[in-house]
């Protein structure tokens, strides 16, 4: 069990407590890639999750893949859809000058723990709209690798017009990342351990 500076032990936070802290925090930690101003002690690796600013590029696009299903339901909790290692995915949708985009549609779909997609229904598929601060979150699971692909999430982000960002998100430290022909290190999530799973962050920066 981790020790504080006073020498007293303290429990690792849960995904729920990290999520609640992040939702309660102000937007002061957006460009620093922080879950919340008090939830990190270590500097953030700038190569993991894009920051926003005049010198930064928008989030890289990637192929949709063959398993997208149109008209998914509006939902943020995928945990009832399939068993697997819990992951809470959070982040912002931002403009290049760091302004939050409210009402953006974040559409998520991915494989289950066996590397399979639900192509008949909408398990592990759904979308939600960002809040007034540009935030989104999903409760889901860690997908498995399959074929030549490393574990990944598929995402579409729509900003209320015809423009759509289609991309994929990856887990850092996966052995198969470098062998995946679609892998892009610019699309790595920032993944932190909690007592009951992982909490991952990725901020989408729109052009």
């Amino acid at each position: 069990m981790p020790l504080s500076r006073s020498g007293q032990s303290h429990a690792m936070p849960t995904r729920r407590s990290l999520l609640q802290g992040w939702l309660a925090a102000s937007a002061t930690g957006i460009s620093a890639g922080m879950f919340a101003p008090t939830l990190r002690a270590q500097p953030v690796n700038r190569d993991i999750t894009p920051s926003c600013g005049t010198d930064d590029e928008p989030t890289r696009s990637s192929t949709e893949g063959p398993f997208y299903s149109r008209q998914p339901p509006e939902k943020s909790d995928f945990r009832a859809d399939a068993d697997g290692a819990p992951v809470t995915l959070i982040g912002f949708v931002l403009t290049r000058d760091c302004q939050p985009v409210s009402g953006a549609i974040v559409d998520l779909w991915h494989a289950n723990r066996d590397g399979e997609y639900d192509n008949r229904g909408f398990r592990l598929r759904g979308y939600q709209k960002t809040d007034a601060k540009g935030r989104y979150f999903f409760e889901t699971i860690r997908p498995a690798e399959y074929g030549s692909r490393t574990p990944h999430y598929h995402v579409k982000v729509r900003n209320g017009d015809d423009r759509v960002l289609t991309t994929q998100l990856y887990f850092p430290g996966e052995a198969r990342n470098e062998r995946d022909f679609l892998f892009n290190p610019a699309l790595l999530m920032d993944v932190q351990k909690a007592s009951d799973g992982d909490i991952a962050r990725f901020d989408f920066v729109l052009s």
Side-chain angles (χ1 to χ4, degrees):
M1 183 175 293
L3 296 178
S4 67
R5 289 185 177 181
S6 65
Q8 296 180 340
S9 63
H10 57 85
M12 182 180 291
T14 64
R15 289 178 300 113
R16 179 182 293 275
S17 66
L18 288 172
L19 176 62
Q20 289 176 337
W22 180 74
L23 290 173
S26 69
T28 57
I30 288 178
S31 62
M34 302 169 70
F35 289 120
T38 59
L39 294 182
R40 279 191 176 277
Q42 301 298 322
V44 174
N45 181 349
R46 288 296 214 161
D47 293 333
I48 298 179
T49 80
S51 58
C52 56
T54 55
D55 296 329
D56 292 304
E57 296 181 357
T59 300
R60 306 286 179 86
S61 63
S62 187
T63 181
E64 178 183 287
F67 302 121
Y68 181 64
S69 294
R70 298 185 181 280
Q71 297 182 326
E74 183 174 2
K75 67 177 181 181
S76 60
D77 191 349
F78 293 6
R79 294 287 293 127
D81 291 350
D83 294 331
V87 177
T88 300
L89 175 61
I90 68 174
F92 287 88
V93 177
L94 305 165
T95 64
R96 290 183 67 181
D97 57 354
C98 297
Q99 296 303 305
V101 180
S102 64
I105 294 174
V106 182
D107 185 350
L108 177 72
W109 74 101
H110 60 86
N112 63 16
R113 67 178 183 178
D114 298 315
E116 299 171 342
Y117 290 82
D118 176 16
N119 295 314
R120 295 185 177 182
F122 292 99
R123 291 190 298 272
L124 302 176
R125 301 175 182 271
Y127 77 90
Q128 66 167 252
K129 294 180 179 180
T130 56
D131 66 10
K133 295 182 178 179
R135 298 175 298 192
Y136 73 91
F137 73 92
F138 290 92
E139 295 286 1
T140 189
I141 64 168
R142 187 182 183 98
E145 60 188 40
Y146 60 88
S148 62
R149 299 305 318 279
T150 195
H152 60 280
Y153 293 130
H154 292 270
V155 187
K156 288 181 179 287
V157 183
R158 297 178 175 87
N159 185 20
D161 52 29
D162 293 334
R163 293 176 297 174
V164 180
L165 168 66
T166 301
T167 194
Q168 301 184 28
L169 306 181
Y170 299 98
F171 292 84
E174 285 289 333
R176 295 192 63 173
N177 281 350
E178 299 301 331
R179 299 197 299 271
D180 187 322
F181 69 106
L182 289 174
F183 172 73
N184 187 331
L187 298 174
L188 284 167
M189 296 177 287
D190 186 358
V191 180
Q192 305 294 319
K193 292 291 183 184
S195 63
D196 56 351
D198 291 339
I199 185 161
R201 176 168 171 176
F202 193 92
D203 296 341
F204 297 98
V205 181
L206 303 182
S207 60

